[in-house]
Every structure is written in C-alpha cells, then in structure tokens.
Amino acid sequence: MGRKRLQEPADGRPTVHTVAARAGVSIASASRVLNGVGGSAETIRKVRAAAAEVGYVPNAIARSLQSQRTGLIALAVEDIGNPVYVEMMRAIEAVVASSGRQLLVHATGGRIDNETALLRRLANRYVDGMIVSPIRVTDDHLAALVDSPVPVVVVGQLGEDTPVDNVRTDSRNGVALAVDHLVANGRHRIGFVNGPLDTVPGAARDAGFRSALARHGIPLDEDLIEVGDFQYAAGRAATERLLARTDPDALVCANDLIAVGALHALLAAGRPVPQDVALVGMDDTELARMMFPQLSSVSLGSAERGRRAAELLLQRIADPTLPPRREQVPPSLAIRASSGTTPLVPRPAGPPTTQPSSEGVTA
C-alpha cells in the first residue's frame, strides 16, 4: 500500500510542514534542520532525506526575514589566487556548506582601507558572519572587528586581549624548523627571502629567521636577507638581487610563491637545487608538490586553520554569548627533493656568481 499523499499548499510547493510530516518529526525540528541550526544526527538525516524526496526548496527571502539571517558567510583574504588561500577557502566552504549556508569570497589586495570598509559594509547584516585573514592589523582593523554587528573570526595573529575569535599559527617557529633542517644537512650560509616587513607574517618570519640563526651560533649576514613581496615575480627578483651580491648555500622563502620564484632564479643563474643551493618554502601548498624538484616546505596548516575558523564562526552564530576563543595550529616541515639530504657540493672561493639573463627561461 502506497504512502498517503501529503497535502500541499495552494501553489503546489512543498513547505516545512510537508517535510516534517514526511520525516515524521515536529515542525520545529524540521525547521531547525532546514535553517542549519542543528538537531540529532538521525533527525538531520530524516529531514534532509524528506526534503529531497518532496523537492523542498527554501524561500530564502522569507527565511531571512523571519530569522534575521541571510544564509551567507563572507571570507575576506588578500589574494584569492594565492594557493594558501585556495586551500583555506576549500576547507571553509566544506564546513559552511554542511550548515546549509553559502560562502562569499572577497579579495582585498591587502589594502587596509579595503578590509576595514568590507568589514563595516558586509557586517551591516548583509551576511550572517565573516572570516577575515588580514596580513596587516591596525587600530582601524581592531575597531571594525570589535564593533561588528555580526560574528567575525580572524585567521592570523591578534593581540592577546582582542575580544574576537581567532585561529592562528606560529610562522616564527615554522621558519625555525626550516633553518634547523638546513643546518642539520650541513648548510651554514643560509639566506632568507621574505615578504614585506610591515605585514604580520613578514615581521614574524623575519624574527624567526634571526632567532634560529642565533640559536645555532651562525653570525647574521644582512647580505643574505632580501625583502620583496609574497608573490612569484617579487620572489624571483628578490632572489636575483641576493645572488648578485652574495653566495648562499641554502635559501628559506617566506611562502611557496616566493620559493618558486627563487627556484627559477637559481636555475637561471646556474645554481642547481639542491646540490648547490638547498631551498625551503612555506605554506606547503599544492604548488610545492608541482615543482621539479619538489619543494620542501613548512606547512602552516592552511586547511586546518580554515576548518577551525568556520567551526568557530558557526558556533558563535548559534551562541553569541560564548567567550572569545583562540586556537593555534602548529607548523610542520615537509621535506622533499629541493633540500632533502643531498650533500653540499663545494664551490670555489670567489665573488658571487654572475647571473645570465633570465629572458626566455621557462624552468
């Protein structure tokens, strides 16, 4: 005997009442599941199955007016093309989608005015919550974060007394892992190619590099430090400047994009990796595994930071009274062919190697 046909509204569209009856749960329980608020695992399973069976499509406008929620979560990052943000975004989107919400992604270009304006504009009830990952943190940022009318989670370093949910890593210690590895493999003229020092990651990684050298008793040589930007072209140009004045046997790069630029600069200069110069990047993105040789890289847990940030945000939306939470994802080093255990090939004493033109080099 077939199921009794459920009564539909006049326009024929199934409603939450339809779903509740099909699932055999209360209307309140069905409503909580359909609005992403939650329920027991069995209730969620039954309601979602019933919704699919009857073809229920939520009325987003009505739901927003009733619940004062939009079903949208915003993510703001410096550059959506950067592999580290791509990994973070994928992890965030998976968590957000599981709650029945959608993710909006915004690229800020790292501009402080863009980020603070976005915080104020989107937080004006255009979204249910935001995840932001600023590379610079100013007083304007802090004011916009604290005053936001919707929940905000920051991925990155914040002051200990900032009353905002925060997921961070320890890139200073991440650089130390890279230096420790290179020293253990007999490298002592270790260079560092960094991003801007007025950024949070740039300052932390510079401090980590200097501290790691001091811990190993290696004198600091400023000629072995070069600053550019967190992009491929800037990383390559910075490495070319460094090679023009000194002769490293290893390089640590502040991210994988810089490291790829450094790899190409080294190969163009006739400096084989890792036989002549060992190379380590940071972020351990897919890019590191796509290079030849594959890049050793310090993982800062981009996907894990994204996942945790999304979970904290959903918890904050469900319960705004929670105290501020702070979570930290530890760094780890993935050792690959670009540093490995290949012994250092001695180079004859003399001035730095003269670099051939990089025009036409595709390595």
Side-chain angles (χ1 to χ4, degrees):
M1 187 174 184
R3 286 187 179 179
K4 180 180 178 182
R5 181 174 176 80
L6 297 170
Q7 183 177 0
E8 306 291 0
D11 63 5
R13 289 180 300 154
T15 66
V16 64
H17 299 75
T18 316
V19 175
R22 177 75 73 183
V25 301
S26 69
I27 293 172
S29 294
S31 179
R32 282 195 295 270
V33 173
L34 294 173
N35 283 291
V37 176
S40 70
E42 179 62 14
T43 298
I44 292 173
R45 184 193 66 76
K46 289 195 295 186
V47 170
R48 288 180 176 174
E53 184 178 348
V54 302
Y56 173 78
V57 177
N59 184 326
I61 296 175
R63 185 171 65 182
S64 177
L65 290 172
Q66 291 172 359
S67 66
Q68 294 188 327
R69 291 181 179 172
T70 66
L72 301 175
I73 299 295
L75 168 65
V77 296
E78 177 201 13
D79 176 12
I80 58 176
N82 188 323
V84 69
Y85 295 129
V86 173
E87 293 188 4
M88 187 180 294
M89 177 186 67
R90 288 172 178 164
I92 291 170
E93 188 169 35
V95 175
V96 168
S98 71
S99 75
R101 296 177 173 87
Q102 292 181 309
L103 184 67
L104 302 177
V105 183
H106 298 264
T108 67
R111 288 178 47 186
I112 296 170
D113 56 342
N114 278 355
E115 291 173 349
T116 54
L118 189 65
L119 276 166
R120 294 187 172 102
R121 186 168 65 250
L122 288 184
N124 192 24
R125 288 298 173 186
Y126 289 111
V127 295
D128 295 336
M130 294 184 65
I131 299 171
V132 296
S133 184
I135 63 171
R136 295 175 178 87
V137 177
T138 66
D139 289 343
D140 284 345
H141 279 101
L142 296 177
L145 290 168
V146 173
D147 294 341
S148 172
V150 299
V152 179
V153 176
V154 174
V155 180
Q157 297 289 332
L158 283 181
E160 296 297 324
D161 59 346
T162 306
V164 176
D165 293 328
N166 179 211
V167 181
R168 59 179 63 190
T169 187
D170 186 354
S171 59
R172 178 171 176 153
N173 187 44
V175 173
L177 293 177
V179 173
D180 291 349
H181 163 63
L182 292 169
V183 171
N185 282 354
R187 313 283 174 151
H188 293 91
R189 285 193 55 76
I190 303 172
F192 182 47
V193 186
N194 199 4
L197 294 177
D198 66 339
T199 64
V200 174
R205 293 168 201 191
D206 179 75
F209 179 75
R210 294 170 185 270
S211 175
L213 289 187
R215 183 163 46 82
H216 286 286
I218 299 175
L220 180 66
D221 182 350
E222 293 288 350
D223 280 347
L224 284 166
I225 299 177
E226 188 58 65
V227 173
D229 203 347
F230 293 111
Q231 302 294 331
Y232 164 82
R236 180 165 183 165
T239 304
E240 290 170 350
R241 294 193 298 270
L242 187 151
L243 293 175
R245 65 174 181 261
T246 191
D247 191 23
D249 61 27
L251 286 179
V252 177
C253 297
N255 74 0
D256 287 344
L257 285 170
I258 293 175
V260 173
L263 173 63
H264 292 172
L266 288 164
L267 296 180
R271 306 292 299 272
V273 175
Q275 295 86 350
D276 191 4
V277 181
L279 183 62
V280 180
M282 293 193 75
D283 289 331
D284 194 27
T285 60
E286 289 183 352
L287 194 60
R289 298 181 287 279
M290 293 166 61
M291 293 298 103
F292 184 81
Q294 288 190 326
L295 292 173
S296 295
S297 187
V298 176
S299 171
L300 298 176
S302 301
E304 179 65 10
R305 282 184 288 152
R307 183 187 66 80
R308 293 195 192 184
E311 290 174 347
L312 288 180
L313 183 60
L314 294 181
Q315 293 164 13
R316 172 68 59 192
I317 291 171
D319 185 359
T321 66
L322 290 169
R325 282 86 41 88
R326 182 167 287 110
E327 296 192 6
Q328 183 150 315
V329 176
S332 59
L333 175 62
I335 300 173
R336 301 189 181 93
S338 71
S339 64
T341 56
T342 303
L344 175 65
V345 176
R347 293 179 56 81
T353 304
T354 301
Q355 299 180 77
S357 169
S358 61
E359 292 295 318
V361 175
T362 59

